[in-house]
Amino acid sequence: MKSISSISPSEITSLCIGKFDGVHIAHQMLLKQNDRNGGVLKIVMDVPPFLTPCQEDYISCPIFRIDLKEIKEMGASDFSLFLKQRFPKLAKIIVGYDFRFGKNRSYGIDDLRAFFEVCVVDEVKVGGVSVHKQKIISHLLAGEILEANAMLGRRYEIKGHIIRGQGIGSKECVPTLNLEVRDYALPKSGVYATLSEVDGVVYKSVSFLGHRLSSDGQYAIETHLLDACIVPKVQEVRISFVDFIRENKRFEALELLKEQIQRDIEQSRLLLSRF
């Protein structure tokens, strides 16, 4: 079991248990039930793409990680003993309504009540739909940013490192920061109104994800900062998605592309006017 926290497991009195693969509003409900000396036991079974590759960005309490393989064959007694050995003061467990564990997922909430106080968080729905990682990813793939953000309880974000682009933007169109992004679940190709954090400052921006159909055909992630022209001091940029503007499409002439970019910028300004 691995932990990124300097807090000793011996201090933990309550523990939220789950995959925490999105830190969405259902996960946030679990976290609200934690004690002052509470932590998170993240069961690692995820494979890319991720909604939140770094859970520490959204969870303030200590996170302890355990690979599913270490516990998937355990019964209720073995799993409870495992927890007591690693968290001697553990008294309360917080789980979701559908929590299952052990061989063939044969054990559940009632099996743990003989060993711990168990707090169960009911199913969380948005618009009548249960909140789950895959539903959020489905919204992202459809460009449904408002719906994805509603389930997350925050704006969806990705982080990437600045790379060299084609150089066309700054010369012919508008300057952009070109990013290499790994492991994240990426929204549908197209243009978005976004907020981009560079060097700790958040700028209104318009961002593009997709294949550059009007030039080299390569996949790109680019963001243009509105009303700002900077030379970043650090190489990492965080983009948070506010709303979808339009589909990705091919332009037969550079002038047509430039005109569309200006319309995208104005639409982004309108959507970001409340920020």
Side-chain angles (χ1 to χ4, degrees), residues 141-193:
L141 292 175
E144 297 166 348
I145 295 301
L146 298 180
E147 292 82 353
N149 289 351
M151 286 192 167
L152 285 166
R154 55 183 170 83
R155 291 184 296 275
Y156 184 60
E157 298 179 333
I158 60 175
K159 289 191 293 187
H161 288 84
I162 298 173
I163 58 174
R164 183 182 297 275
Q166 290 181 290
I168 294 177
S170 58
K171 295 178 181 178
E172 303 289 347
C173 298
V174 296
T176 62
L177 298 175
N178 296 264
L179 306 181
E180 179 183 47
V181 176
R182 296 181 178 179
D183 294 336
Y184 282 90
L186 296 176
K188 175 182 179 178
S189 293
V191 179
Y192 294 84

Side-chain angles (χ1 to χ4, degrees), residues 210-229:
H211 293 278
R212 294 184 287 231
L213 301 178
S214 302
S215 55
D216 62 356
Q218 296 296 308
Y219 189 87
I221 299 176
E222 307 171 347
T223 187
H224 168 66
L225 308 182
L226 306 182
D227 307 317
C229 184

